Each structure stands twice: as structure tokens, then as C-alpha cells.
Amino acid sequence: MRKLSGVIVGCGLIAREHLIALSGNDDVRIAAVCDVSAVKAEATADRFCIERYYTDLDAMLSDVRPDLVHITTPPSAHFAIAKRCLEQGLNVLCEKPLTMNYTDFLVLKDLANERRCVLMESQNYRYHSSVARIEQLISAGALGDVLDVNVSIFANLYGPASPYLDQNVPHFSLALKGGPIGVYLPHLAYMAEMFAGAA
């Protein structure tokens, strides 16, 4: 069976998490990475032994024709990149939030259905061992009926050396409607839905 090919768009911190996870998967090969910064793209390719790097998304997609595109850019770029990928019939795994507003999400959803592509938001906590254990306990009836769900995430947003306070390199979350808290809201939403069901 041939290996699936993937590409990474956006070579920041979260891209490294994807690449580390993928390094343990023998069924996938990351064929290229792309970033608007040539330095970041080259450094990421070098660090993870990836053959090619690009600063032009369209050139990479044309050259590689991947099975899956990982979008790991700041959220403000998600919609445009995902749309370009889906228009070309490519499957997309996008960091959260998938889009900045619901209308854009509907555009991507319709496009994915039309082109018969996978469009998925990365929801990593869904697969965390502690979350899986709670799901097992609920399924086994060990906890009884779920009457209330309280999901908490603790992050030291204002602690020493917080990336959210760096005045030299403003964090992308500062442009979100919810600020740094907006980065974590999708986690809270999908985990609440997992245990309480859709509203």
C-alpha cells in the first residue's frame, strides 16, 4: 500500500506538534511544508527531514498534489487557504478555529461536500487519554446519566514569558474577537458537545 502524502501550511509552533505526531505514523509521508517566511519553511523542512519547502501555496499544491493538507497558520488565514485547497479537490485538516465566522464555515462545508473532500477541524483534546477514559465510564454506565458538563482549561495567559504578552511579536490570538481566550473556546465547545450532546 502506498504511503499517503501530506503537506503543512504554516510553520509555526503548532506545525511542529503535527509533524512530531506524524513522525510516528508509517502510513504518511510529509512531502513539503509552506510558509510565507522562507526562513521558517526552510528551518522546518530541515529539522523534520522534509524534502521540499515553499513560500507559495499554489506552487506547492501543484507540484505535490497531496492527499491531505494540514493548515497550521493563524486563524485569520484559515478560510482562504482551506477554500483554495478544497477547490482543488484536496482533503483538509485545519487547526481551530476552522473559520473566524459561521458564514465562512458554511461556505467551506458546502464546498467540501460538493468536491467530496474531507474537511476537519483539529480537535486534539477529543483524543486525550483522560477524555477517552471519561467516555468509557459514561458508556459503561459507571457515572449514571450526564446531567451537567463543566469543561475547564487552565492556561497561565499572563505569567512570565507568556507569548500573549510579547510586545515585539504580537500573538495572533490578539486579533481574535475573544482575544487569547478565543484560542481555547473551540476546545470547550466540542468537549461540551461530546458529553452533553448537540444543543
Side-chain angles (χ1 to χ4, degrees), residues 87-165:
E87 286 171 344
Q88 296 184 40
L90 302 173
N91 300 307
V92 170
L93 173 65
C94 185
E95 269 301 319
K96 48 79 185 159
L98 183 59
T99 60
M100 300 290 281
N101 62 67
Y102 186 63
T103 304
D104 285 348
F105 163 72
L106 293 176
V107 170
L108 296 182
K109 178 186 171 190
D110 290 345
L111 188 55
N113 287 335
E114 176 189 315
R115 301 298 170 97
R116 301 176 72 104
C117 295
V118 172
L119 171 65
M120 181 182 286
E121 180 182 67
S122 179
Q123 299 182 354
N124 55 307
Y125 288 165
R126 181 181 291 271
Y127 304 101
H128 192 278
S129 58
S130 61
V131 173
R133 180 64 180 140
I134 293 169
E135 284 189 295
Q136 290 169 354
L137 291 170
I138 291 171
S139 295
L143 300 180
D145 295 332
V146 176
L147 302 177
D148 183 59
V149 175
N150 185 342
V151 181
S152 299
I153 294 176
F154 297 93
N156 191 0
L157 300 179
Y158 300 107
S162 168
Y164 303 102
L165 299 179

Side-chain angles (χ1 to χ4, degrees), residues 40-53:
K40 277 188 178 181
E42 182 180 14
T44 301
D46 183 60
R47 177 175 178 182
F48 291 94
C49 302
I50 297 166
E51 293 176 17
R52 293 185 274 184
Y53 67 91

Side-chain angles (χ1 to χ4, degrees), residues 12-64:
L13 179 63
I14 201 66
R16 282 175 268 172
E17 296 297 325
H18 283 240
L19 289 164
I20 289 167
L22 288 166
S23 67
N25 188 330
D26 293 333
D27 297 323
V28 178
R29 176 182 70 90
I30 296 300
V33 296
C34 182
D35 196 282
V36 292
S37 164
V39 172
K40 277 188 178 181
E42 182 180 14
T44 301
D46 183 60
R47 177 175 178 182
F48 291 94
C49 302
I50 297 166
E51 293 176 17
R52 293 185 274 184
Y53 67 91
Y54 293 80
T55 57
D56 184 298
L57 174 64
D58 292 322
M60 179 180 71
L61 298 179
S62 175
D63 290 351
V64 177

